[in-house]
Amino acid sequence: MTAARAFVRSLNILLKFAKMYDFGHPRTTTQYETAWSELQMALGPKEDQASLLLAVSGTQLLLDGKPLEGGAAEKSFARLFSNAGIASLHFSPKVTKASLAKLVKAFPTGTGMKASQVGEQFKAALQNDAHIQVNEVCFVAADSAVAKSTMAAQLAARSLGFSPERTENLFSDPEKLLQLIMAAEGTKRSGNTGANTGANPGLSSGSGLDPQNTAGPEGQNSTIQYVSQDPSLVVRNEAPSEWQNTGGSAGFESKARDFANWNTGDGSDETAASARPLGSTKQPGSETLKTGSIALKAGELKGILQVLAQIGRGADSANGKQHMRAIESQLAELPQNAEFTASQVLATLAAHSPGQAPDPAELLKLAEHIAVRFALESYERGDTKVNAVQQTLREMQRELDVLRETLGVYEEKMSEAGIELQSENEVLAHRFWSQVTEEKKKTVLESGDAWCVPAAKVREYVEGLRLSGEGEAAEKILRNYANCIASNNPEQRRHAATGLIELAPVYADASEQLFLDAIRLTGLQFAQSSDPNLQSVVGAAFVRLAQEAANKRLYPIVQHASEMTSFIESESPDAAKNLRARIGLELRVPDFIEAALKTGDVPEKLAELLRRMPLAAVEHIAARFGRAALVEDSESLLWIMEVLGPEVIEHLRERLEHGDADAAIDTVGLLTRIDKETVERVLPGRMKEWKRAAQDRVVRQIAVSRAPGRGRLLLDLFPHVDPLVRPALLDEIGMSGETAADMSLLRLVEGDLPKNGSEYLRLKAIEALGRLETPRAEAVLRKVAEFRKTLRWAHPYEMRLAAVQAMNRINPEWVQNFIARSELNVADLMIQPLAADPDSLTTCQRRYVRFRMDPPVPGEAIAPKKKCKIAVQALSLSGGMGEPQQILHPGAIVELRLNPGRKAIRFQAVIRSATPQAASFEIVDIEFEERTKLRKLLLQDGKAPQQGESAPQQQTDQQPAVIAS
């Protein structure tokens, strides 16, 4: 079978290739060889070859009569042959390669050919071929109603006098089928005891089986007793006639051998079905009856269910005679009333599927229906109280367990597929309450027995009330249901708690007070319960309600759940050990804070809730503050910190001073803003312990804090950081706008460099002085720009260019006079450092305008043990972004080479962020000659953003570069 499936798949692909590429194409030829090889395997070895029949039924492919599982491709394949009128393809054991080629070549390659022409083309191509036979669909004229019916329905239609459609509906509905059986049961009782007398004293008019009861439903024929509410399903006795016994259907035997034989009617819709049981005598006149009720005692009903269970147990049994004897034995042990009903069930099942074993699924459906009807009628007659219905269904369920076990394989497959199955008791309970009238359901839901109603039915009823505008009635029912958890009966409390677990979303949509009361009541019951099993269920209900409140971000209710958890922990410490962890409120704190940041508003109720979980809140706020991209977000986080109180600040200080590197660095940004003195005291000592990547994070944390005095703090850290971190630190000093650091910067410009310091630091110090616009820097900057030696300028071109750009912010008039004799390229002055924008909406700002490179600039990123090609799509004098061919690691130092070759541009960069699609980098060291080449590349190939096109942190209102007049 596996080989045959492989051939069908290959044949489908082969025909599509032939249509797309023609038969002579290499891909078609290769697929043809594959299909031929798999066809040979499907037919089997030469000494034991068998034919292969590929048939079509609608969109279903059949292999030798067995359905072939498949997807959309197989359905499309089947639809093609079905539309062409081809019923099947028969491959003989002696099929040749040439025959398969004829089949493929006959497949149409055009797009305009009709489906009927496809079939004709196949027949013409294979007309004289003895090894592949094309079989067509043959249409035979028939009654459309009969054609659509099953064989069982056609036989029943002739026997009952129903139309085929009505009989088919009868057999597909277990409820109607059961009602018809009960009609036959009542008819036999009437026939054996004489007309108009009831031999069975246990029957009354209330049972629905009393022949004396002849009143039909209002608006229906009073001479006909209706089996159900469906007026198309009726049974009545008519004129006397002879009856003969043909025995039960094959596969089932009854001890009494008294299965009914149905009389044949004319099949018209107007004629009701006639039914006579075996053993009836000729009865004068017409006798009608109404049925559909299960007028049995509990013991009798259990016996019938046991018989059905025995049938289900032996459905797959190979010993049929032993199985029938077991059924007969169980039938003999039943009371007369139950025995007759069971015999009728067996006869009907046998007639429904003659010669076939009963389907366990149908048996289960029928048995469940019998159990539910029995429980419902017992409740409606008043024999069973509503709070005992569950017990009644559980007793019936024990008899259904064998059928459930028979279907166990099916349920396991459903579970493996991820489909949640209800428990057996839930199934029966749901069917029971589905048949209870709305009036009685309302009465129960408003009473102390509301816990009896399955939660799904409560939800359905409440949502119906809400849709109809009866919100107060819905609230009343929900409050009454929640009160059931305080019942004196442990079993009732358990049922109510189980229901609350499922109804948690419904309570979350109710009024705030009702939800609060439900959580409070559940929490109190959890604290007071001494039964471990009951406590477990009630605890699960409390956890589920609290989680739903957190999901809906109902902060007052979440706070109440937190307070109730504290109460439970004080009252019952052992039971509440894992309660707080199961609710997971601390884990939801980040979600609460992020939701508030998205809306731009921190509710007062959220702040009150966070006060109850200050440590969880402050740890997330500290980490989130360092990642805040918007000034608005950082300000909101600071407001929450004020609400939490001074105790949390002490916690942050402790983490900065004694925590590990990651935990301590997370606190730097926030503490720099609210307690800079502690940071100035602790941070320099800890910076010496940390590696370059950690030091780089500290610099960026201080930068995003936007704290006054951060420039001084960064300058204090300058001697303690890695040489590759120092350029970024100098940039952030310039962006801080604090002139207190100017003297230190001037010393760097004059050449007072730290150990391992590069000339690149002098250039960065010049740019920082320009951003600070320090008047005291004018003398030093002018010296860098205009000082000459005998035949050349004393300082490199890039340093002189940076000094002129810085002087343009301090003394533009001097620049106007100097530019003509500076020998600087005027175009190079156009790319200048960006100044800090105090009104920026973002916490980070770019230092240079970023150019779009179109086409991207090819490059290589070289790490110690790795080389990766990268296409740079955006570039500036301080960094850029590109698409790497491999994933680069954030924080890694790489050597970047742009335009690899003889004129490559080389510099060192740190990878800031990296995904498989993009990586951003920042230049940490570059030679002055390489920087000049980079500037030239930007001017020649870069496309500067237009006004309004730049990123929010990229300013466009900078002072214009000075051009000589």
Side-chain angles (χ1 to χ4, degrees), residues 174-186:
E175 181 176 354
K176 292 183 179 179
L177 186 62
L178 180 64
Q179 291 169 351
L180 188 59
I181 293 170
M182 299 308 298
E185 176 187 348

Side-chain angles (χ1 to χ4, degrees), residues 2-69:
T2 303
R5 288 174 178 168
F7 163 67
V8 172
R9 193 176 296 109
S10 294
L11 178 61
N12 186 13
I13 297 172
L14 175 59
L15 294 178
K16 290 180 178 179
F17 278 6
K19 182 176 181 179
M20 293 172 61
Y21 305 116
D22 204 356
F23 186 76
H25 193 276
R27 296 190 67 176
T28 309
T29 304
T30 302
Q31 186 61 33
Y32 169 69
E33 294 295 337
T34 302
W36 169 249
S37 174
E38 291 177 346
L39 176 59
Q40 293 295 102
M41 293 177 63
L43 294 173
K46 291 184 178 180
E47 60 275 7
D48 191 26
Q49 279 190 330
S51 62
L52 180 68
L53 181 66
L54 176 61
V56 179
S57 176
T59 59
Q60 177 68 59
L61 290 174
L62 305 174
L63 271 176
D64 293 332
K66 297 180 180 179
L68 177 66
E69 296 180 2

Side-chain angles (χ1 to χ4, degrees), residues 667-684:
T667 67
V668 169
L670 194 56
L671 278 177
T672 302
R673 186 68 178 269
I674 60 180
D675 188 12
K676 188 164 64 70
E677 292 76 13
T678 299
V679 178
E680 290 174 341
R681 175 177 55 85
V682 176
L683 195 55

